[in-house]
Amino acid sequence: MQFIVDCKTVGIQFRRYQEKNRMLRWAVIDSVRKRQKHEKFWALHDVSFTVKQGETFGIIGENGSGKSTLLKLLTGIIKPDLGSISVKGKISALLELGAGFQPDLTGRENIFLNGSIMGLSRDEIIKRFDEIVGFSELEKFVDTPIKHYSSGMYMRLGFSIAINVDPDILLIDEVLAVGDQSFQQKCMDKIRDFKRKGKTIIFVSHDLTAVGKLCSRAIWLNFGKVAARGTVQRVIDFYRQNVQDQEEARLKAEHEDSELELEQRWGSRVVEINKVEFLDEFDQKQHQFRTGDPFRVRIAYQAHSRIEKPVFGIAIHRNDGTHVNGPNTKFANTVPEYIEGKGAVYYEIKSLPLLPGTYYFTAVVYNYECNHPYDHHDQMFPFQVIPGCTEEEYGVVWIPSTWRYEGNHGKIIS
Amino acid sequence: MPLTRRNHWELLVNFTTRNLKLKYKGSILGFLWSLITPLLQMLIYTIVFSLIIRVETNQPFAVFLLTTQLPWIFFASSLQMGAGSIVEHSNLVKKVYFPRELIPISTLMSNMISFLITLLVLAVFLICYNQTFTAHILLLPLAICLLAAFTMGLTFITSCLAIFFRDIFHILEVLLLFWFWSLPIVYPLEYLHKNLPEGYLWLERLYKMNPMVEILELFRFAFFNTKPYENWPPLKYILYASIWALVSLMAGYWLFKKLEPRFAREI
């Protein structure tokens, strides 16, 4: 099998300087000191992968993981310090669209200039000129200096030239995030078209949905190393899991921090709330729940003396401040006669109706008249809701419901 | 990206026309400025050096000056514009791959076009001053080639060094000032031997080591047939200038190619 892109144990090292030494005297001083001060780091280390003809290959990773550096290596803009890269065929990068545009020249002049930078001959540009202009929808402005273009027009022209170069390999780097919805759609169509023609695409993004839809195989770059490779689903799952673990760790840290923080806590402390834990259906501590999951909160308290008729309450706020609910044991007619010593109260939701987002949990205990706080933890416990049983995304809550039609209608399609 | 030779040539042409278009876009007189600037310079130098300081030349001073001043302007502006050329294209260099040498070459080419047009104006002047052209004019293409090669080599060097050291611009400014006055542009070459006091032979020798002296003198040999340019130039002139032009071109290209892989990272 012939590989169209073959990247073998590629490594590239950058100097991490604070400021580049553009002054001769620093260069002289540096060379005397043998540049010891420059800390070096591997922007990419031991990166290997292959792409076959006609494949759509994804590269995912966070910002700063080395994705852009890898793309620059593929286009030949920079050379690796270690390993080798072989690329067969004409490669066109949708890196920064319109990189070579000259603001003072007209759209037409820029098409010719940029086209030839991308490797098209004059004849080829003439042949594709109408299509480039047509696709970018800039027929009326083609003889206007592009400094008068809006940024959207600028991007459209850039994309249009890049895609019409008709490369063997197309590199796409996040660029689809720009432009209006309909132009984005047009770009996606064009890319699918390209795919159908059996051309090779390398798609770099942290938009997992887009990568999942377009690509068949992928790698995940993390701190310059390949952290996972294989089918796109496997890599995405791996990546998601990692991101979730990190998020979980972050929330946990925040949760633990909150116990020390006093500003959001007040009350006489005759009863103290010691611990608030979110539990899943298996009684495991969690900070992430799916919409529709069972949701249970254990509020552990300690009463320093016998307290008559204490009222426990909770509240859930969304991170934008929306107050979602605020029940208490008095409303629910479940106030105990008294409490003494250690104990716990459980707050249970059979099926969590919250839509995805970050929420803050409040736990309080008051006297029966609810005018004297014993202990009040205000919005101190964060938890996260991720997509679950519903596709809904508007509003705050998911309310289980059904739809029905009356009158003349066709078959219900999903 | 495997570009073909033809594509390279077209890209070079595109860069060159772009340079010329951008240079004159938005100015009312446009291309005329390429002529007006040297002519005004000539005017002031002629007043100072032929009326006040009284430099004596066998040719009318105005044309005597123009024959070397025009090549000098080409040389100096190529070096200066060339130094900034890669840095100005940092956006392109960081994003798209194409042979980087096309950038300084295109700077040189657009300057060359301006230069050739000014040479036409010089021809008009020569005719106005009743200077007759002889077979010596055949030296002109050679002189232009040597000048272009020598300039190109240095332009390669300034363009890539400017990426690493911005000091180049300041150094260049001073260097060109020194260089201008140590060339027989506003005075004839014989003055050097004639006017230098005893014991300054070393200075004369040093002066003549500068290859631009020979290159500029070749221009005068091409245009004039009066003393001291009545004969063909000595062969060693041409040889010396050719060697320097070749060395400059090769050294410049070598350095450029050696540093090229680091451009995108350092710029």
Side-chain angles (χ1 to χ4, degrees):
Chain A
M1 182 74 216
Q2 272 289 51
F3 296 118
I4 195 156
V5 174
D6 191 358
C7 195
K8 279 188 192 131
T9 61
V10 161
I12 188 158
Q13 207 174 27
F14 284 142
R15 279 200 294 265
R16 199 189 320 238
Y17 8 56
Q18 298 293 312
E19 194 157 340
K20 290 188 181 175
N21 294 330
R22 294 276 162 62
M23 304 262 275
L24 201 55
R25 73 186 158 114
W26 290 117
V28 172
I29 291 168
D30 277 354
S31 60
V32 173
R33 289 188 192 156
K34 300 213 164 126
R35 295 192 174 242
Q36 281 169 335
K37 284 186 81 175
H38 297 312
E39 192 189 340
K40 287 186 170 182
F41 73 102
W42 291 97
L44 287 174
H45 192 60
D46 197 19
V47 173
S48 302
F49 65 94
T50 52
V51 182
K52 280 176 257 171
Q53 167 76 47
E55 194 174 26
T56 305
F57 190 82
I59 299 172
I60 57 177
E62 316 244 303
N63 288 333
S65 59
K67 287 178 302 179
S68 303
T69 308
L70 186 55
L71 280 196
K72 282 183 184 173
L73 286 168
L74 288 172
T75 47
I77 297 169
I78 52 179
K79 301 263 177 295
D81 293 324
L82 287 177
S84 68
I85 294 182
S86 91
V87 176
K88 295 186 186 103
K90 189 155 75 173
I91 196 162
S92 170
L94 303 186
L95 282 167
E96 302 266 322
L97 294 178
F101 281 171
Q102 292 289 335
D104 281 317
L105 299 182
T106 65
R108 182 188 305 275
E109 288 166 329
N110 268 302
I111 290 175
F112 278 94
L113 181 63
N114 220 19
S116 72
I117 291 171
M118 297 234 180
L120 287 184
S121 71
R122 198 180 160 74
D123 296 341
E124 285 172 310
I125 300 171
I126 291 171
K127 215 161 58 190
R128 288 169 204 180
F129 188 82
D130 289 337
E131 205 185 328
I132 292 173
V133 176
F135 188 82
S136 63
E137 302 165 14
L138 291 169
E139 289 90 343
K140 282 186 200 146
F141 305 99
V142 75
D143 288 312
T144 311
I146 64 166
K147 64 181 168 192
H148 300 303
Y149 281 19
S150 69
S151 57
M153 290 157 83
Y154 206 85
M155 300 312 287
R156 292 211 301 263
L157 189 62
F159 183 87
S160 193
I161 296 172
I163 195 110
N164 277 299
V165 167
D166 196 26
D168 303 310
I169 307 164
L170 185 68
L171 295 184
I172 308 169
D173 180 21
E174 314 278 9
V175 286
L176 297 178
V178 296
D180 55 40
Q181 201 85 53
S182 77
F183 190 72
Q184 271 186 36
Q185 196 50 49
K186 232 167 118 177
C187 294
M188 280 312 260
D189 288 347
K190 191 87 189 175
I191 290 169
R192 285 205 193 90
D193 224 39
F194 197 79
K195 205 174 151 176
R196 224 169 293 129
K197 280 188 206 154
K199 303 280 182 103
T200 312
I201 300 176
I202 296 179
F203 188 55
V204 177
S205 184
H206 47 227
D207 177 2
L208 298 178
T209 328
V211 173
K213 272 183 198 158
L214 272 176
C215 305
S216 48
R217 284 194 313 131
I219 56 171
W220 165 33
L221 276 185
N222 198 17
F223 297 110
K225 287 181 181 152
V226 179
R229 67 173 78 239
T231 60
V232 72
Q233 205 45 53
R234 194 182 107 98
V235 174
I236 287 178
D237 285 348
F238 213 78
Y239 176 78
R240 276 226 174 93
Q241 190 56 49
N242 184 279
V243 170
Q244 261 177 37
D245 289 352
Q246 277 176 15
E247 186 67 2
E248 181 80 31
R250 191 183 64 79
L251 287 176
K252 204 173 155 198
E254 202 174 306
H255 193 106
E256 275 159 12
D257 278 353
S258 68
E259 288 170 14
L260 301 169
E261 217 173 303
L262 296 171
E263 285 158 51
Q264 296 184 81
R265 184 176 177 188
W266 58 84
S268 63
R269 305 275 177 98
V270 273
V271 183
E272 268 190 276
I273 291 173
N274 297 328
K275 212 174 213 178
V276 173
E277 289 170 333
F278 303 116
L279 305 171
D280 65 9
E281 52 196 311
F282 309 111
D283 268 348
Q284 293 297 308
K285 272 203 270 178
Q286 283 293 345
H287 295 97
Q288 266 184 346
F289 296 86
R290 284 172 207 280
T291 306
D293 275 356
F295 177 75
R296 211 138 59 89
V297 188
R298 179 175 184 272
I299 302 165
Y301 64 81
Q302 184 173 13
H304 296 297
S305 57
R306 184 186 158 105
I307 301 292
E308 305 284 340
K309 292 192 282 181
V311 177
F312 288 90
I314 69 108
I316 296 173
H317 285 80
R318 198 164 63 178
N319 63 349
D320 62 358
T322 307
H323 188 170
V324 181
N325 73 344
N328 66 38
T329 49
K330 192 174 166 187
F331 292 151
N333 292 318
T334 49
V335 180
E337 214 175 312
Y338 68 91
I339 54 171
E340 199 172 3
K342 284 186 179 180
V345 187
Y346 287 84
Y347 171 72
E348 285 188 34
I349 300 176
K350 278 207 185 71
S351 168
L352 188 67
L354 296 177
L355 291 176
T358 303
Y359 295 85
Y360 291 95
F361 192 86
T362 302
V364 302
V365 51
Y366 274 68
N367 64 346
Y368 190 70
E369 286 71 35
C370 294
N371 53 14
H372 175 80
Y374 294 133
D375 198 355
H376 187 126
H377 296 252
D378 198 53
Q379 298 184 41
M380 279 173 61
F381 312 99
F383 65 96
Q384 205 164 38
V385 180
I386 55 177
C389 59
T390 174
E391 303 259 310
E392 276 184 45
E393 53 179 303
Y394 303 121
V396 185
V397 294
W398 162 64
I399 303 170
S401 46
T402 52
W403 293 85
R404 199 162 60 81
Y405 289 87
E406 245 176 33
N408 194 11
H409 63 82
K411 207 167 65 177
I412 305 298
I413 50 174
S414 60
Chain B
M1 199 183 314
L3 289 177
T4 63
R5 243 162 240 287
R6 216 186 116 199
N7 284 354
H8 285 175
W9 174 248
E10 279 177 0
L11 183 51
L12 190 57
V13 171
N14 275 333
F15 271 141
T16 308
T17 49
R18 190 271 323 258
N19 288 347
L20 289 171
K21 272 183 193 160
L22 287 183
K23 196 166 162 191
Y24 302 109
K25 212 144 203 172
S27 65
I28 298 165
L29 292 178
F31 202 81
L32 282 177
W33 280 114
S34 295
L35 307 176
I36 296 169
T37 333
L39 290 181
L40 287 177
Q41 259 184 40
M42 181 208 71
L43 189 70
I44 188 73
Y45 284 146
T46 308
I47 291 169
V48 172
F49 290 98
S50 79
L51 298 180
I52 302 174
I53 299 182
R54 299 264 178 142
V55 170
E56 279 169 22
T57 54
N58 292 324
Q59 295 80 22
F61 189 82
V63 283
F64 174 83
L65 178 69
L66 276 180
T67 47
T68 48
Q69 186 210 355
L70 295 178
W72 170 261
I73 290 174
F74 163 77
F75 175 75
S77 61
S78 294
L79 247 57
Q80 269 169 328
M81 287 163 66
S85 63
I86 305 258
V87 179
E88 274 160 29
H89 285 84
S90 59
N91 208 10
L92 212 49
V93 170
K94 275 190 285 188
K95 309 290 185 216
V96 193
Y97 181 74
F98 58 92
R100 310 308 189 195
E101 60 266 32
L102 295 183
I103 297 175
I105 296 176
S106 75
T107 308
L108 194 94
M109 278 183 43
S110 48
N111 275 335
M112 179 55 86
I113 289 167
S114 307
F115 173 51
L116 292 178
I117 291 168
T118 55
L119 280 187
L120 288 179
V121 177
L122 171 64
V124 173
F125 266 80
L126 286 164
I127 292 164
C128 291
Y129 278 100
N130 285 323
Q131 300 286 313
T132 48
F133 293 103
T134 61
H136 286 192
I137 200 73
L138 293 174
L139 286 171
L140 187 62
L142 177 69
I144 292 174
C145 286
L146 291 178
L147 176 69
F150 186 67
T151 313
M152 188 71 254
L154 294 188
T155 306
F156 275 139
I157 294 171
T158 56
S159 68
C160 59
L161 287 187
I163 296 166
F164 303 95
F165 315 110
R166 298 290 149 92
D167 303 53
I168 284 292
F169 297 101
H170 304 286
I171 295 172
L172 206 56
E173 212 172 299
V174 180
L175 187 78
L176 287 174
L177 187 69
F178 271 73
W179 210 330
F180 176 80
W181 293 104
S182 55
L183 284 172
I185 297 173
V186 294
Y187 53 87
L189 185 60
E190 321 77 275
Y191 269 36
L192 187 72
H193 190 68
K194 212 166 71 185
N195 294 358
L196 270 181
E198 289 278 324
Y200 280 91
L201 193 66
W202 61 273
L203 189 62
E204 193 183 335
R205 285 217 179 105
L206 190 70
Y207 186 101
K208 287 195 167 157
M209 279 168 70
N210 177 358
M212 277 299 277
V213 174
E214 278 76 11
I215 294 174
L216 292 188
E217 282 295 292
L218 281 179
F219 277 93
R220 287 202 173 126
F221 273 109
F223 286 115
F224 298 132
N225 56 359
T226 44
K227 241 178 113 115
Y229 304 108
E230 68 277 27
N231 295 318
W232 290 90
L235 195 62
K236 66 170 188 193
Y237 258 48
I238 297 172
L239 224 56
Y240 188 72
S242 306
I243 290 169
W244 266 102
L246 208 64
V247 167
S248 156
L249 193 59
M250 289 196 316
Y253 190 69
W254 174 81
L255 183 73
F256 192 89
K257 277 299 184 191
K258 193 168 161 60
L259 294 178
E260 189 190 319
R262 288 169 59 191
F263 286 1
R265 289 202 230 173
E266 300 279 344
I267 209 161

